[in-house]
């Protein structure tokens, strides 16, 4: 009877050891992947121009890729209007050739004229 009890305890301990080892392997794998991903996903800020177009009914976003490689870029421009708490925002993303300035996108206002630029950010990363 005592031997049977020891075996049961041993099986439980062995089972827990197996779970511990599995968790340890998963933790090592996650740590290794996390260490490699930030460098691949790291985005650098780049120059951006957000322009309210004539008639104040649309805005254009242009950005420059200063790197020597085609980059995956994202641009974000936020504008105010004469209406309280109406702040249209343009967010667009696409590949930009090395060393080029391109128009990323154009936003047409939904009725209210665009008054001024509130915020502008852009970044590019290696695809």
């Amino acid at each position: 009877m005592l031997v049977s009890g020891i075996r049961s305890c041993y099986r439980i301990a062995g089972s827990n050891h197996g779970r511990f080892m599995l968790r340890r392997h998963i933790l090592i794998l996650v740590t290794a992947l996390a260490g490699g991903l930030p460098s691949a996903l790291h985005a650098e800020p780049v120059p951006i121009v957000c322009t309210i177009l004539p008639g104040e009914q649309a805005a254009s976003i242009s950005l420059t890729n200063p790197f020597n490689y085609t980059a995956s870029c994202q641009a974000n421009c936020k504008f105010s209007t004469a209406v309280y708490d109406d702040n249209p925002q343009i967010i667009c993303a696409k590949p930009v050739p090395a060393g080029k300035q391109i128009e990323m996108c154009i936003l047409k206002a939904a009725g209210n004229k665009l008054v001024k630029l509130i915020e502008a950010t852009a970044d590019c990363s290696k695809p």
Side-chain angles (χ1 to χ4, degrees):
M1 184 127 182
L2 183 60
V3 172
S4 174
I6 292 172
R7 285 186 183 158
S8 295
C9 291
Y10 177 74
R11 283 188 199 133
I12 291 171
S15 174
N16 287 339
H17 178 71
R19 287 183 192 154
F20 172 76
M21 291 303 290
L22 178 61
R23 287 181 185 159
R24 182 173 171 220
H25 289 290
I26 290 171
L27 181 61
I28 290 169
L29 179 62
V30 168
T31 303
L33 288 175
L37 287 178
S39 62
L41 298 177
H42 182 69
E44 295 287 332
V46 297
I48 183 171
V49 177
C50 304
T51 307
I52 297 175
L53 299 175
E56 301 171 341
Q57 290 293 324
S60 168
I61 295 181
S62 297
L63 67 74
T64 302
N65 173 4
F67 306 116
N68 62 357
Y69 53 84
T70 297
S72 177
C73 299
Q74 179 173 323
N76 178 5
C77 296
K78 189 173 186 178
F79 298 91
S80 67
T81 66
V83 177
Y84 175 76
D85 207 24
D86 179 23
N87 300 311
Q89 186 169 355
I90 307 171
I91 301 173
C92 49
K94 65 182 177 183
V96 179
K100 299 288 183 183
Q101 178 177 4
I102 67 164
E103 182 174 75
M104 294 290 286
C105 54
I106 294 177
L107 167 77
K108 293 188 178 182
N112 299 317
K113 290 185 176 186
L114 304 174
V115 175
K116 71 177 185 174
L117 178 66
I118 298 174
E119 179 183 352
T121 58
D123 56 56
C124 294
S125 61
K126 234 177 192 175

